[in-house]
Amino acid sequence: MVDKEDMLALIDLQMMMDDPETGSLIRVILLVFIGFALLYLFSFAVSRFLASRQTPHFSQLARKFIFYVGSIIILLSVMLELGFDLRGLLATAGIATVAIGFAAQTSLSNLISGLFLIGEQPFSIGDLVRVNDTLGVVESIDLLSIKLRTLDNLYVRIPNESMIKNQVTTVTKYPIRRMDLDIGVAYREDVGRVMEVLKDLATKNPFVLDDPAPLILFNHFGDSALQFRFGLWFEKSNYLVLRNSIMKDIKERFDEEDIEIPFPHMTLYSGSETSPFPVQVQNTTSKND
């Protein structure tokens, strides 16, 4: 049974709804708070649904598209409720769009470039990419720009137009990669023995893949060393552990095998027709020592 106070409250609410201005304000408040709450939940649910069926890139774009379109619909509904004439607003918006289009050609170029990136999909969210001298993990792919987080935790925003015009390297595009190390040894060392030691190091390292086989190449004659190219295939997630372990293994094994890793040096030659350079060794120790 309805209490008298509840009945009076319902009557007051009905009277407020019957008042045009008050009722319009209540509907606007309901549209804003309930509408945006439902829109957020719906866009989040769609994103979760697509996450297991599509790429993270597509899922993120779908969530943003639904939220932006829904926000525009809610705002237009609010303006209608408040009595705005949308026909005049749309006409004004058309003229403003043309003016803004001429003034914002860079943004339009980024937008078009973003559409090309979305269609081509050269990388996805979570990939490690290199753009010119910037190396970072892709955190967001939007219509106007790409957001990267560098390995030293810096936030970098790169316009889509730059991504189209410049060379972009997706480091983690494929499941396996090859690490190339250039190693120099002294000229007195036996080439075959050095190659056998490198092959044994690759075989014993747990992070090096057997297939494809490691690359061991006698590369060229350097200024002061024989140069070898040591290429190791590995799973992309093992880059740091492999690099740390293999560099340590090379140094320790070369020390055990007495294989010299030379440092740069220079020999001065005055020519056969000139006298040798005079060299004097002076004692620089002070008298007080």
Side-chain angles (χ1 to χ4, degrees):
M1 189 173 182
V2 181
D3 295 338
K4 183 178 180 180
E5 293 181 0
D6 294 339
M7 181 64 71
L8 291 175
L10 291 173
I11 293 173
D12 291 339
L13 180 61
Q14 184 63 39
M15 291 177 64
M16 292 176 61
M17 295 295 292
D18 291 339
D19 181 30
E21 294 184 0
T22 306
S24 178
L25 181 60
I26 292 174
R27 287 190 291 271
V28 166
I29 295 174
L30 292 176
L31 274 173
V32 172
F33 286 96
I34 298 179
F36 276 106
L38 292 176
L39 178 61
Y40 176 81
L41 293 175
F42 178 70
S43 62
F44 181 77
V46 171
S47 176
R48 290 290 300 271
F49 175 77
L50 294 176
S52 59
R53 294 167 175 80
Q54 300 290 337
T55 62
H57 178 196
F58 185 85
S59 174
Q60 187 182 80
L61 286 177
R63 178 176 59 83
K64 291 183 177 181
F65 177 79
I66 292 173
F67 188 80
Y68 291 154
V69 172
S71 298
I72 293 174
I73 294 174
I74 291 175
L75 291 177
L76 290 177
S77 301
V78 169
M79 295 177 70
L80 280 174
E81 194 63 44
L82 294 176
F84 284 91
D85 185 5
L86 293 184
R87 291 175 298 179
L89 182 64
L90 291 176
T92 305
I95 298 174
T97 301
V98 176
I100 293 173
F102 284 107
Q105 296 183 17
T106 302
S107 297
L108 291 176
S109 177
N110 287 326
L111 178 62
I112 295 173
S113 300
L115 294 176
F116 279 109
L117 289 175
I118 292 172
E120 186 179 353
Q121 293 186 350
F123 45 79
S124 301
I125 294 175
D127 276 334
L128 181 66
V129 300
R130 180 184 292 110
V131 185
N132 293 333
D133 296 331
T134 303
L135 179 68
V137 178
V138 180
E139 287 201 331
S140 176
I141 305 174
D142 299 323
L143 291 177
L144 296 180
S145 63
I146 305 297
K147 280 80 173 180
L148 302 180
R149 178 171 55 86
T150 63
L151 300 182
D152 53 350
N153 207 34
L154 298 179
Y155 178 85
V156 180
R157 177 185 178 275
I158 303 178
N160 288 335
E161 185 178 12
S162 299
M163 304 293 290
I164 293 293
K165 291 182 177 181
N166 297 315
Q167 176 176 311
V168 179
T169 303
T170 306
V171 179
T172 54
K173 180 70 173 179
Y174 303 112
I176 64 172
R177 293 176 53 195
R178 194 180 76 188
M179 178 189 300
D180 289 335
L181 302 175
D182 291 322
I183 303 172
V185 301
Y187 268 88
R188 66 178 176 83
E189 303 296 344
D190 181 81
V191 172
R193 177 166 166 263
V194 172
M195 297 180 73
E196 285 296 325
V197 170
L198 293 177
K199 182 178 180 181
D200 187 57
L201 287 173
T203 302
K204 292 181 178 179
N205 192 291
F207 303 107
V208 177
L209 298 178
D210 296 330
D211 186 20
L215 172 68
I216 304 174
L217 179 67
F218 181 20
N219 208 11
H220 65 275
F221 296 96
D223 293 335
S224 58
L226 302 174
Q227 294 293 334
F228 291 82
R229 173 66 56 85
F230 192 26
L232 305 171
W233 290 94
F234 62 98
E235 295 182 2
K236 62 182 181 182
S237 60
N238 292 332
Y239 175 79
L240 291 179
V241 290
L242 171 61
R243 187 170 184 85
N244 283 335
S245 62
I246 199 65
M247 297 293 282
K248 179 175 178 291
D249 292 344
I250 292 173
K251 179 63 172 66
E252 292 178 351
R253 183 66 180 275
F254 276 23
D255 288 344
E256 292 176 4
E257 300 287 341
D258 195 25
I259 297 176
E260 180 185 355
I261 302 177
F263 55 87
H265 62 276
M266 180 180 295
T267 301
L268 298 178
Y269 176 62
S270 61
S272 59
E273 301 299 328
T274 58
S275 301
F277 290 117
V279 178
Q280 295 180 351
V281 179
Q282 296 181 350
N283 186 5
T284 59
T285 305
S286 64
K287 295 180 180 180
N288 296 328
D289 292 342

